[in-house]
Amino acid sequence: MRAPLAEALGEVLAEPLGALCDLPSFDTSAMDGWAVAGPGPWRIASGESILAGHGDAAALPDGTALRIATGARVPPETTAVIRSEHARAEEDKRLLHAERAVTPGQDIRPRGQECRSGDRLLPAGTVVTPAVLGLAAAAGYDTLVTVVRPRAEVLVLGDELLTGGLPHDGLIRDALGPMIGPWLSSLGADVLATRRIGDDADALYRAVTTSDADLVVTTGGTAAGPVDHVHPVLRRAGAELLVDQVAVRPGHPMLLARLADGRHLVGLPGNPLAAVSGLLTLAEPVLRALSGRGPVRPCRLPVREAVQGHPHDTRLVPFVYEQGRPAPLRYNGPAMLRGVATADGLAVIPPGGAAPGDDVEVLDLPWAGRATVEGGCFT
């Protein structure tokens, strides 16, 4: 789609950004000061100063100086710009003296210094940040061609879930319904709806097969219990299972399927932290691919303290950055959100655990900036 600059923030470029003009488009002064021609001292020319935003100026005669403002077009034949603080003017004699050596071309930004018309400035797949908007405007753009955001729909499964009030009589509050949609939005999706289906296989089948979303995300029902309907529904819908359980805790019942019409479904476990694991390891990569963004560069950092591991599977543990290193948090059970609610990300702990100082991969949360650390993991 084509979006005005004011509406493109956070979108993804669908095509490379090429310069529509030279930057700068003419020789400009980099400083407030004096434009001079030839060797000094210089005769101060009569007339007004050269200001930014004005058109062509007459050629500067040899041996003369004229006041110039930052960003103003440099007159033809200008040798250099002398900063105001590096010059001394004898107003009575109309002479300008340089307080420091003058180098030809100093403090002049030559035309095309940053780019030439047609140069590729940014590749397709770049996320539009405020700086990208500024660059695009400087390069002559009023609109940007961006990738259409992938559409997502959340299906919350389970008869035991309450949408309000306190837990009671075996019923629990739905923690995933309020969380998954905003999380997918932070990953670049246009969330169409969050729907509650309950434990109803036919209703789930209709919801999956009639959804307009590019990515359907379900919560719960991915195991093999009596009301776990996701696998039977996917078989009935003719879907292809691409990922069916993973060797990770929490989150091992997660799944990824390609539906018969080419759309995708991510099945998240019902336990909240297990669902977060699936969001980061399955939903995020799918959404990055659908939105034209490349994969995240892996980052490994030394943990600050020992982290207990699972005997056989990889373990994902919420952490915060302390002095640039991941420090594991408490409350990291599969049904808990207290730890991840204050976390910067999840640490990928190999089977058997990690000792203090061991390098482990880290998965940043979408809203948490990675700390600057010695050794070089940056966002």
Side-chain angles (χ1 to χ4, degrees):
M1 67 178 181
R2 186 171 290 277
L5 294 187
E7 300 174 10
L9 183 65
E11 303 297 332
V12 177
L13 295 181
E15 59 186 29
L17 188 75
L20 301 180
C21 61
D22 296 344
L23 285 182
S25 55
F26 46 81
D27 293 349
T28 63
S29 176
M31 294 288 170
D32 292 330
W34 299 86
V36 298
W42 300 269
R43 179 178 56 83
I44 299 175
S46 59
E48 297 182 353
S49 301
I50 308 169
L51 302 178
H54 288 219
D56 290 334
L60 194 62
D62 191 52
T64 60
L66 189 61
R67 280 197 177 275
I68 192 168
T70 301
R73 184 190 291 262
V74 173
E77 307 304 327
T78 297
T79 301
V81 170
I82 303 175
R83 303 182 188 191
S84 297
E85 61 269 28
H86 297 164
R88 176 173 56 87
E90 292 186 82
E91 296 294 347
D92 56 337
K93 298 181 180 180
R94 304 292 295 171
L95 285 177
L96 182 76
H97 301 270
E99 300 283 299
R100 299 186 181 185
V102 177
T103 303
Q106 75 179 27
D107 287 326
I108 295 175
R109 292 187 63 210
R111 176 175 181 167
Q113 181 185 51
E114 186 169 1
C115 67
R116 290 289 184 182
S117 179
D119 285 353
R120 192 176 87 157
L121 303 176
L122 296 170
T126 300
V127 177
V128 179
T129 63
V132 169
L133 291 175
L135 176 62
Y141 285 85
D142 299 316
T143 62
L144 293 174
V145 179
T146 58
V147 177
V148 176
R149 282 178 172 248
R151 298 163 301 170
E153 184 171 13
V154 182
L155 305 179
V156 180
L157 313 182
D159 290 339
E160 76 281 10
L161 302 177
L162 294 170
T163 58
L166 296 175
H168 62 87
D169 299 326
L171 303 177
I172 61 173
R173 279 297 298 271
D174 170 27
L176 298 183
M179 178 177 75
I180 302 301
W183 199 305
L184 296 174
S185 295
S186 73
L187 296 177
D190 181 8
V191 180
L192 304 180
T194 295
R195 301 168 56 191
R196 288 170 173 81
I197 303 296
D199 293 321
D200 186 328
D202 290 335
L204 177 59
Y205 175 82
R206 288 192 298 270
V208 168
T209 56
T210 62
S211 174
D212 292 327
D214 303 297
L215 176 66
V216 177
V217 177
T218 62
T219 68
T222 56
V227 292
D228 289 333
H229 299 307
V230 174
H231 280 91
V233 163
L234 290 175
R235 287 193 294 270
R236 180 180 169 188
E240 176 188 3
L241 275 175
L242 304 176
V243 176
D244 188 10
Q245 298 191 354
V246 293
V248 66
R249 304 299 174 115
H252 73 279
M254 69 179 79
L255 62 84
L256 171 63
R258 182 186 294 117
L259 301 173
D261 57 6
R263 297 178 301 117
H264 289 82
L265 180 144
V266 167
L268 300 176
N271 276 326
L273 187 56
V276 169
S277 297
L279 282 169
L280 289 179
T281 59
L282 285 184
E284 180 173 0
V286 171
L287 288 173
R288 293 187 72 87
L290 291 175
S291 62
R293 294 176 292 164
V296 176
R297 179 171 60 92
C299 175
R300 299 183 66 85
L301 295 172
V303 292
R304 288 188 59 83
E305 57 194 75
V307 187
Q308 182 179 356
H310 187 273
H312 310 294
D313 294 343
T314 298
R315 187 165 175 242
L316 301 181
V317 177
F319 73 86
V320 292
Y321 286 112
E322 291 185 1
Q323 297 179 336
R325 292 187 174 190
L329 293 167
R330 298 174 58 195
Y331 307 109
N332 51 35
M336 296 181 179
L337 288 175
R338 184 173 175 180
V340 75
T342 59
D344 293 320
L346 300 184
V348 182
I349 307 300
D358 283 355
D359 280 353
V360 299
E361 187 173 350
V362 295
L363 306 174
D364 286 330
L365 299 181
W367 47 85
R370 186 172 294 167
T372 300
V373 295
E374 184 177 356
C377 284
F378 305 97
T379 58

